[in-house]
Amino acid sequence: MEALIPVINKLQDVFNTVGTDIIQLPQIAVVGTQSSGKSSVLESLVGRDLLPRGTGVVTRRPLILQLVHVDPGDARKNDDGGREGEEWGKFLHTKNKIYSDFDEIRQEIEAETERVSGTNKGISDEPIHLKIFSPHVVNLTLVDLPGITKLPVGDQPKDIELQIRDLILKHISNPNCIILAVTAANTDMATSEALKVAREVDPDGRRTLAVVTKLDLMDAGTDAMDVLMGRVIPVKLGLIGVVNRSQLDINNKKSVAESIRDEHAFLQKKYPSLANRNGTKYLARTLNRLLMHHIRDCLPELKTRINVLAAQYQSLLSSYGEPVEDQSATLLQLITKFATEYCNTIEGTAKYIETAELCGGARICYIFHETFGRTLESVDPLGGLSTIDILTAIRNATGPRPSLFVPEVSFELLVKKQVKRLEEPSLRCVELVHEEMQRIIQHCSNYSTQELQRFPKLHEAIVEVVTSLLRKRLPITNEMVHNLVAIELAYINTKHPDFADACGVMNNNIEEQRRNRMRELPTAVPRDKATAAGTQGEQDSTGNWRGMLKKGEDAPGSGPGSPLKGAVNLLDVPVPVARKLSSREQRDCEVIERLIKSYFLIVRKNIQDSVPKAVMHFLVNHVKDSLQSELVGQLYKSGLLNDLLTESEDMAQRRKESADMLQALQRASQVIAEIRETHMW
C-alpha cells in the first residue's frame, strides 16, 4: 500500500514531460480563504519554510507539491560524489537543477509566479510543479490553490473573486481529488467558504477532509471541542485541528519542528482527550492513508482511461503519417486513395459511412427516385390549360373553314406545350446530382483520406481538378437531358402502343360526331328558295352589323366625304371572353384533354426513366471512370512534387506532440502494470 503514492508520483512525472492534464491523477487540493493558515499547514507537512509570505493574494498560481520520502541514509550526492544534505527540491521548469536551500525554493516560486502572472497580483491557472525529497515527510501529492477572496486589492482585476473560484473548482471537480478544506478556528464554521465550495462538487462529503487552524487564537472562554467532535459541521473523512505558527514566530525564525512540539503541548493541555487525533503529525498520517486508499480505488479506472487514450493517440499519430521519403510514390498513393474513396462513396462501399444524413450514391439514388420522381408526378398533365385555351387551339387549327371533326394539329400543338414543362425539373435533377458529386469531395477529405490534411496544397489541387472535371461534364449532361425532351417534342408518336386505347376513344367520338351531324343536315330545297334565303341572309347580316353600332354613331372611317362611310371595322367588335360551350364544343375539348393526358403520361414515364440514365452515363460514371487518370495527368508532375507535398506548418508539431503523448501513455501503462504484477491492489 505504501508504494502506491510513489506510483502516482511516477505517473505525474510521466505526464509532466508532455505538459498535459489529460489524465486526472489522485491528489489532495488545499482550499481555504486568505489568511486561513493554508501555507502554514503545508509547511508543517513539509517541515520547512518554503512558501511565499505576505498580505493579500500570495498564492497566485497552483503549486503542485510532491512530497517524496527518502531514507535518512540516501542523501543526495553531487557530481563529485560529495554529500550535499538529506533534503532537497526540484522544479519541473528548471529541469534537473537541485535546490538544497529552501530560501532559494521560495524565491524561485515568487519569480516563476511573477513570470507568468505578472506583478499586479493577477492569477494564472498554469501550475508550478515542485518535488521535495526528505526523510521527514510522508509520500503525498498536494495542490496549493489561491486563497478565496471577496474584493480586489490594488491592481487586481475586478473579477478576481470569480477567477479564483473558477480555478479552485477546476481542480476540486476532479473526482480523483481529495479536498482539504482549511478553516480558521476563530471564525464561524457555519460560514466557512472552504467547506461551502467543497460541497458544490462533493455534496456528500465523501472526499472532503476539514482542517481547523489557529486553535490557540480562539476567544477566551471558548473552545473548539464541538467543532473537533464533528457536532457543528459533520465531515465524512473527518475533521482535524492544528496550531499554526504566528507571524511573530515566523519573524523570529521559529522552526517548524519547534512549532510542532509546541502544538503537541497545547493539544495535551487544552484538548487532552482529542490530542492523539489532532495535530500536524496526525494530519500527515491521515492524508497519507486517505491518499493511498483513494489511489487504490482509482487505479483500475485510471488504467482503463490510459489504455483508451493510448489507442486514440495511436490512431491520431497514424493519421498524421510518417515523414515523406519517396515523394513520387507518396503522391501517387494519395491520388489513388482519394480516387478510390471517391468512387467507393458513390458505390456505397466507403470505409467511413455517414450516419447523420444520406451521402454519395445513396443521395443520388434519392434524387432520382424521390426528389425527381415526385416532382415529375406532381406535374399536372393539363396544368396551365383552360377549356377556352383548348377550344381556341381547336378553332385556330381549322383555319377559315368550319371543321366537322377535331383537328389533330390542335392536339399536337397543345401536347408539345405540356411536354415542354418536363424540361425544367429534368435539368434541376442534373443540378442536384452535380451538387452531390461536389459534396463527395469534401466528404472524402474529412473522413476517408485524412492524410490529405497533412498537405493543404495537394488537397486544394485535388479539389480543383475534381471540381473542374465536374464543371466540364455539367453542360454536356444538360445538353443530353435537353435533347431527351427535344426528342419527345420532335415527333408526337400517336401510334405508340400505350396510346392506342386513347386513339380508339377519339375515333369513337369522331364517328359519333359524324353520325350526329348527318342526322342534323336539312333536306334538299329548291334553288330559287335557297338563293332567296341567301339574299335575305346578306340583308340580315348587313342589318346586324349596323345594329352593332350605337344609335346615332357612324362606322369608324365613315365620316363625311369618306368613301368608307357606312362600313364597319370588325377588329373593333368585342369578343365575349366567357360563354357557355355548346355540346359539340364540350365534347371536342374533352377528347383533346383525354388525348393530352394520355400522351403526357407516356412521355413523363419515358423522361422519368431516361433522365437518370443520361445523368449516370454522362456525369456520374464518366467522372468515376476518368477521375484517376485526370488526377494523375494534372498533378503527377515532377515540377509539382515539392510544392504539393509541403506539409502544413503545424503538422510536424502535432505529430511530435502526439508521439510524445503516446510514449507517455505507454510508460504510464507499464508503471501500472508493474504495480499489478506485485499484487498491490
Side-chain angles (χ1 to χ4, degrees):
M1 286 287 289
E2 186 66 28
L4 288 179
I5 295 179
V7 169
I8 294 301
N9 290 340
K10 287 183 180 179
L11 293 178
Q12 186 72 59
D13 293 341
V14 167
F15 292 115
N16 285 345
T17 59
V18 291
T20 181
D21 56 355
I22 193 171
I23 294 290
Q24 296 178 321
L25 297 173
Q27 57 191 10
I28 301 172
V30 185
V31 180
T33 58
Q34 289 183 22
S35 303
S36 62
K38 288 191 305 90
S39 298
S40 295
V41 170
L42 289 173
E43 288 181 337
S44 297
L45 294 173
V46 176
R48 299 294 294 265
D49 294 328
L50 78 162
L51 298 177
R53 295 280 183 169
T55 59
V57 180
V58 178
T59 304
R60 296 188 286 128
R61 290 177 59 184
L63 174 64
I64 298 179
L65 180 61
Q66 292 177 260
L67 304 182
V68 182
H69 177 80
V70 294
D71 293 333
D74 294 339
R76 182 182 56 81
K77 297 181 179 180
N78 61 13
D79 292 338
D80 298 329
R83 294 190 176 277
E84 296 185 357
E86 59 182 10
E87 294 180 298
W88 68 93
K90 291 173 62 176
F91 286 97
L92 176 66
H93 64 273
T94 58
K95 305 301 180 184
N96 296 322
K97 184 177 180 180
I98 302 298
Y99 294 83
S100 57
D101 185 348
F102 281 80
D103 287 336
E104 284 188 46
I105 292 178
R106 179 170 58 253
Q107 293 169 6
E108 181 60 31
I109 292 175
E110 293 174 346
E112 180 64 11
T113 298
E114 291 185 357
R115 185 184 68 81
V116 175
S117 302
T119 59
N120 64 344
K121 298 295 184 180
I123 67 169
S124 170
D125 62 352
E126 183 179 341
I128 298 174
H129 293 266
L130 172 61
K131 186 180 291 188
I132 300 295
F133 301 85
S134 171
H136 307 299
V137 300
V138 294
N139 290 312
L140 284 176
T141 299
L142 301 156
V143 182
D144 186 21
L145 298 171
I148 301 172
T149 186
K150 290 295 184 182
L151 298 174
V153 177
D155 295 332
Q156 287 181 344
K158 294 182 179 180
D159 63 340
I160 186 67
E161 177 188 3
L162 184 60
Q163 289 185 26
I164 293 177
R165 179 182 177 83
D166 291 343
L167 178 58
I168 292 173
L169 289 174
K170 175 183 176 182
H171 282 268
I172 66 176
S173 296
N174 173 10
N176 296 334
C177 174
I178 294 176
I179 306 170
L180 190 65
V182 179
T183 305
N186 56 358
T187 61
D188 188 354
M189 286 290 291
T191 61
S192 170
E193 289 291 335
L195 290 174
K196 179 182 176 182
V197 73
R199 280 193 172 180
E200 291 185 23
V201 296
D202 182 33
D204 297 332
R206 296 181 181 276
R207 51 188 182 92
T208 301
L209 174 67
V211 175
V212 181
T213 62
K214 304 181 181 180
L215 290 175
D216 56 331
L217 298 182
M218 296 187 68
D219 293 340
T222 62
D223 60 35
M225 185 65 72
D226 288 342
V227 173
L228 296 177
M229 294 290 290
R231 296 169 185 163
V232 178
I233 302 293
V235 182
K236 290 187 177 180
L237 290 186
L239 194 149
I240 300 174
V242 297
V243 177
N244 304 101
R245 289 180 299 168
S246 65
Q247 188 61 46
L248 180 61
D249 293 335
I250 296 172
N251 295 338
N252 293 335
K253 304 296 183 181
K254 183 178 181 180
S255 68
V256 175
E258 293 178 16
S259 175
I260 291 177
R261 285 196 296 270
D262 292 345
E263 175 193 55
H264 179 70
F266 174 83
L267 291 173
Q268 287 290 348
K269 178 181 177 181
K270 189 71 174 178
Y271 305 98
S273 62
L274 302 177
N276 62 339
R277 286 182 287 162
N278 290 278
T280 301
K281 289 186 177 181
Y282 180 76
L283 174 62
R285 292 195 302 269
T286 302
L287 290 175
N288 179 262
R289 174 178 53 83
L290 290 175
L291 187 57
M292 283 192 298
H293 286 283
H294 196 59
I295 292 172
R296 182 195 60 187
D297 296 337
C298 295
L299 271 180
E301 182 180 349
L302 191 62
K303 180 178 183 297
T304 301
R305 172 70 173 159
I306 289 175
N307 290 338
V308 170
L309 285 174
Q312 292 176 352
Y313 273 91
Q314 181 66 64
S315 176
L316 184 62
L317 187 61
S318 299
S319 69
Y320 292 152
E322 298 294 332
V324 177
E325 296 180 358
D326 188 342
Q327 290 185 330
S328 298
T330 301
L331 178 60
L332 187 59
Q333 178 185 3
L334 290 174
I335 288 176
T336 302
K337 185 170 184 180
F338 179 88
T340 302
E341 291 296 336
Y342 189 93
C343 297
N344 289 344
T345 303
I346 295 175
E347 295 295 334
T349 57
K351 181 179 179 181
Y352 296 91
I353 298 179
E354 183 68 58
T355 58
E357 61 179 352
L358 292 179
C359 177
R363 191 174 184 87
I364 293 174
C365 179
Y366 182 87
I367 292 171
F368 285 157
H369 302 291
E370 297 293 334
T371 306
F372 178 58
R374 290 181 179 178
T375 302
L376 289 188
E377 291 173 1
S378 67
V379 178
D380 183 5
L382 300 175
L385 285 181
S386 65
T387 304
I388 295 300
D389 295 335
I390 296 175
L391 184 60
T392 302
I394 293 174
R395 287 183 169 181
N396 288 336
T398 61
R401 292 174 298 280
S403 174
L404 295 178
F405 309 106
V406 178
E408 291 186 13
V409 176
S410 62
F411 161 70
E412 289 197 10
L413 183 69
L414 293 171
V415 82
K416 285 182 178 180
K417 178 182 178 183
Q418 297 306 100
V419 169
K420 183 68 176 175
R421 297 168 61 213
L422 298 176
E423 183 174 7
E424 182 179 352
S426 300
L427 294 175
R428 177 58 181 161
C429 176
V430 178
E431 182 181 352
L432 290 175
V433 174
H434 176 267
E435 290 175 358
E436 179 56 27
M437 298 282 284
Q438 195 74 33
R439 286 179 68 246
I440 296 175
I441 302 175
Q442 190 63 37
H443 173 82
C444 292
S445 301
N446 291 342
Y447 300 100
S448 303
T449 53
Q450 295 183 5
E451 293 91 339
L452 285 179
Q453 305 303 323
R454 293 177 58 191
F455 312 108
K457 292 186 178 180
L458 175 60
H459 178 251
E460 292 174 4
I462 288 177
V463 171
E464 178 60 31
V465 171
V466 182
T467 302
S468 176
L469 178 59
L470 290 171
R471 194 184 303 121
K472 286 191 297 185
R473 298 305 301 176
L474 182 60
I476 298 173
T477 309
N478 281 335
E479 181 66 20
M480 182 59 198
V481 171
H482 172 78
N483 287 338
L484 289 175
V485 179
I487 288 170
E488 297 290 348
L489 295 173
Y491 181 64
I492 305 301
N493 182 17
T494 56
K495 292 295 185 180
H496 192 284
D498 296 337
F499 194 62
D501 295 339
C503 288
V505 171
M506 185 185 74
N507 291 334
N508 292 337
N509 278 275
I510 293 175
E511 182 62 26
E512 182 181 353
Q513 291 178 19
R514 188 184 67 79
R515 289 196 299 267
N516 290 338
R517 288 193 175 277
M518 291 299 293
R519 287 196 296 267
E520 292 173 0
L521 287 176
T523 56
V525 295
R527 181 177 179 81
D528 54 346
K529 291 185 178 182
T531 303
T535 304
Q536 180 65 32
E538 292 177 1
Q539 294 174 352
D540 292 342
S541 297
T542 303
N544 288 338
W545 295 342
R546 302 280 184 185
M548 291 180 185
L549 300 175
K550 295 181 180 178
K551 187 175 181 181
E553 289 184 352
D554 292 329
S558 58
S562 172
L564 299 178
K565 182 175 178 62
V568 175
N569 185 352
L570 293 180
L571 295 178
D572 290 339
V573 178
V575 178
V577 177
R579 62 180 178 82
K580 185 177 181 180
L581 302 181
S582 66
S583 59
R584 180 195 171 187
E585 291 173 336
Q586 186 66 37
R587 286 194 304 270
D588 290 350
C589 289
E590 290 177 356
V591 169
I592 293 296
E593 287 178 356
R594 285 198 298 268
L595 292 177
I596 291 174
K597 185 174 182 179
S598 177
Y599 196 82
F600 180 88
L601 294 179
I602 294 172
V603 175
R604 186 174 72 182
K605 183 178 179 182
N606 293 342
I607 294 295
Q608 190 170 352
D609 179 65
S610 58
V611 166
K613 292 178 178 178
V615 174
M616 286 299 297
H617 177 71
F618 287 91
L619 181 61
V620 180
N621 290 344
H622 188 279
V623 170
K624 282 172 50 183
D625 296 340
S626 60
L627 180 60
Q628 171 82 11
S629 59
E630 189 77 14
L631 287 171
V632 172
Q634 295 287 340
L635 304 179
Y636 193 65
K637 300 176 181 178
S638 58
L640 299 176
L641 288 177
N642 289 331
D643 187 47
L644 293 178
L645 294 181
T646 301
E647 286 189 318
S648 58
E649 296 179 357
D650 61 336
M651 181 58 67
Q653 179 64 25
R654 283 190 288 173
R655 186 189 296 111
K656 182 180 182 302
E657 291 175 355
S658 298
D660 292 343
M661 176 57 71
L662 179 61
Q663 187 177 7
L665 290 167
Q666 290 172 342
R667 290 203 307 269
S669 182
Q670 291 174 358
V671 170
I672 295 179
E674 291 172 1
I675 297 298
R676 189 184 185 105
E677 290 175 0
T678 57
H679 306 288
M680 290 189 177
W681 95 82

